[in-house]
Amino acid sequence: ESGTEKFAGAEKFAGLPFYQIAEKRVAMPVKRIVLAGQQDDSQFVHPSIDHALSHAKSGDIILIRHDGLIDLTPIQIDRPGFLVTIRPDAGSQPQLRWKARAGDHAWLKLDGAMVRIEGVPVILECPENADIASLAALSRQGQLILKDCLLTLSGPTGKSIVAGMREPDSMQNPEDSFR
């Protein structure tokens, strides 16, 4: 503040000068590679999509380096505001398959989080013993976005849905959740 200039508004926030807080840079998103059977945390290489999702930060991009079918494992993402994109790595042609099970109908349980899937064929299978098959169970503004994806529904007619709403308390499975 000089004789002719005055600082308007809050000068400090949380004990720090406001202008120093405003200058902090946001971390760049990380490109994580899914490469079946391989893991190298220092190079952001993950053995599976669920492993990559559990280590991702908001804004990260998960690139699938695989040709052919990938069976999906259920996962809960309970991080409001979390956003991640999943797409094939250059030259790769993966296909994702969620095969519902009795008592476990949704691949993704998104509690306030957003997952964007781009350019990947997705197969949603509902076996006879499952009540319903769903790619995602959503709560608290959770979102599943499919862009340029071919979605194939397999199984009994009327038992497959892309996404459904759930109560947050009924979504929690300790063995497949992360925060």
Side-chain angles (χ1 to χ4, degrees), residues 10-25:
E11 186 174 330
K12 287 189 175 187
F13 180 76
L16 297 172
F18 184 74
Y19 58 88
Q20 286 181 351
I21 294 171
E23 290 178 1
K24 287 188 178 180
R25 302 282 181 238

Side-chain angles (χ1 to χ4, degrees), residues 63-68 87-94:
L63 301 171
I64 305 168
R65 192 175 292 167
H66 182 83
D67 291 325
R87 64 177 175 232
D89 197 13
S92 293
Q93 295 181 335

Side-chain angles (χ1 to χ4, degrees), residues 57-76:
K57 306 275 188 274
S58 189
D60 284 0
I61 299 168
I62 297 173
L63 301 171
I64 305 168
R65 192 175 292 167
H66 182 83
D67 291 325
L69 201 57
I70 297 175
D71 284 315
L72 300 169
T73 304
I75 189 163
Q76 166 136 356

Side-chain angles (χ1 to χ4, degrees), residues 87-145:
R87 64 177 175 232
D89 197 13
S92 293
Q93 295 181 335
Q95 286 184 314
L96 306 180
R97 179 174 61 185
W98 167 243
K99 195 171 189 175
R101 303 171 204 135
D104 199 2
H105 73 278
W107 166 45
L108 294 168
K109 296 174 187 103
L110 303 176
D111 189 9
M114 182 190 314
V115 173
R116 180 182 175 107
I117 302 174
E118 299 179 349
V120 181
V122 180
I123 301 166
L124 180 58
E125 288 188 15
C126 185
E128 289 292 333
N129 66 340
D131 296 331
I132 194 167
S134 172
L135 280 182
L138 310 172
S139 70
R140 288 192 270 208
Q141 299 179 349
Q143 294 181 41
L144 172 66
I145 299 169

Side-chain angles (χ1 to χ4, degrees), residues 3-62:
T4 59
E5 298 176 28
K6 298 219 179 212
F7 187 79
E11 186 174 330
K12 287 189 175 187
F13 180 76
L16 297 172
F18 184 74
Y19 58 88
Q20 286 181 351
I21 294 171
E23 290 178 1
K24 287 188 178 180
R25 302 282 181 238
V26 176
M28 293 297 295
V30 170
K31 289 187 178 177
R32 298 177 178 277
I33 305 292
V34 173
L35 196 52
Q38 297 188 29
Q39 182 176 345
D40 183 350
D41 292 336
S42 67
Q43 297 296 315
F44 305 107
V45 175
H46 302 275
S48 64
I49 292 172
D50 60 307
H51 189 270
L53 281 168
S54 67
H55 287 80
K57 306 275 188 274
S58 189
D60 284 0
I61 299 168
I62 297 173

